[in-house]
Amino acid sequence: MRLLLVEDEEGFAEALCASLKMEHYITDWAKNGEEGLSQGLSNIYDAIILDIMLPGLNGLTVLQKLREQGIHTPVLLLTAKSGLDDKITGLDLGADDYLTKPFHREELYARLRALTRRHSTTSLQELSCGDLYMIQGSNELCCKTNGSHLPLNGKEYQLMEYLLRNAGQIISREQIIEKIWGYDTNTEYNNVEVYISFLRKKLLYLKSEVSIQTIRKLGYMLKKT
Ligand code: CA
């Protein structure tokens, strides 16, 4: 799961990112509304934690612009204690939930679990395409047709999860780098190619009808062949 935290208070944000890491979330931090908006528009996040009180573009404006651009990533707003109007406006603008500062970390985790669960389309959190499927949280890639299965390592798993969630759609190498390695990275395009080739070998071994196709100059697409 990859999260975006939009929050200008540095100490608070750093502590939050650190504790989210302990909960196995990968969190990107945007320090202001403008950064939050541009990162949110990449549409690579499983949820966005969005503080309302931000310098420049405030959280409500960021939320409004994201929704206007067709970004439906679940948004959890962080509001001040006195901000009843903000909460109402936020929910009207398409926020999925809100949390009043200060809050207990456990409550944040519970709300994030609920948000990401609600957003996922299948009850068992099984991601599939054609005869290929993976159960979220397990690290096994399986083929329904012949019952074969293989373990995936961390990055392979994240990449396969991303491909499965966007099966039938083109995903660019830039999106893959942002999603799997994050913004602050020196990852080169050939890293993506290396992991794509690992996954292709595994798909061949599984004898799945699904493959990762290269779409010239645009990226990759997972689809039935
Ligand atoms: Ca703030």
Side-chain angles (χ1 to χ4, degrees), residues 44-122:
I44 59 168
Y45 296 101
D46 298 295
I48 300 173
I49 305 170
L50 179 57
D51 189 36
I52 290 185
M53 299 284 282
L54 295 168
L57 284 185
N58 73 26
L60 294 174
T61 311
V62 172
L63 171 63
Q64 185 176 19
K65 287 183 183 290
L66 286 173
R67 294 300 186 241
E68 280 171 5
Q69 299 286 318
I71 303 295
H72 301 293
T73 311
V75 166
L76 175 70
L77 284 176
L78 300 182
T79 71
K81 215 168 205 158
S82 55
L84 179 64
D85 288 349
D86 284 349
K87 288 169 195 165
I88 295 166
T89 311
L91 293 172
D92 282 344
L93 286 174
D96 298 84
D97 201 355
Y98 64 83
L99 200 51
T100 304
K101 285 177 170 177
F103 50 82
H104 288 286
R105 294 283 150 85
E106 293 302 329
E107 187 175 7
L108 174 69
Y109 305 151
R111 283 171 190 252
L112 285 173
R113 284 195 296 273
L115 274 189
T116 48
R117 202 160 48 223
R118 220 178 290 155
H119 194 60
S120 109
T121 44
T122 48

Side-chain angles (χ1 to χ4, degrees), residues 173-182 185 187 189 192:
R173 288 181 297 187
E174 291 82 359
Q175 282 175 308
I176 292 174
I177 289 177
E178 284 170 9
K179 177 81 181 177
I180 313 299
W181 283 274
T185 172
T187 302
Y189 284 149
V192 175

Side-chain angles (χ1 to χ4, degrees), residues 149-189:
H149 51 92
L150 271 180
L152 299 179
N153 73 29
K155 290 267 185 277
E156 289 173 346
Y157 173 84
Q158 287 175 34
L159 180 54
M160 198 65 221
E161 183 185 31
Y162 191 41
L163 288 165
L164 279 166
R165 279 186 186 283
N166 295 283
Q169 295 177 46
I170 298 172
I171 300 177
S172 69
R173 288 181 297 187
E174 291 82 359
Q175 282 175 308
I176 292 174
I177 289 177
E178 284 170 9
K179 177 81 181 177
I180 313 299
W181 283 274
Y183 281 92
D184 301 322
T185 172
N186 296 317
T187 302
E188 307 273 342
Y189 284 149

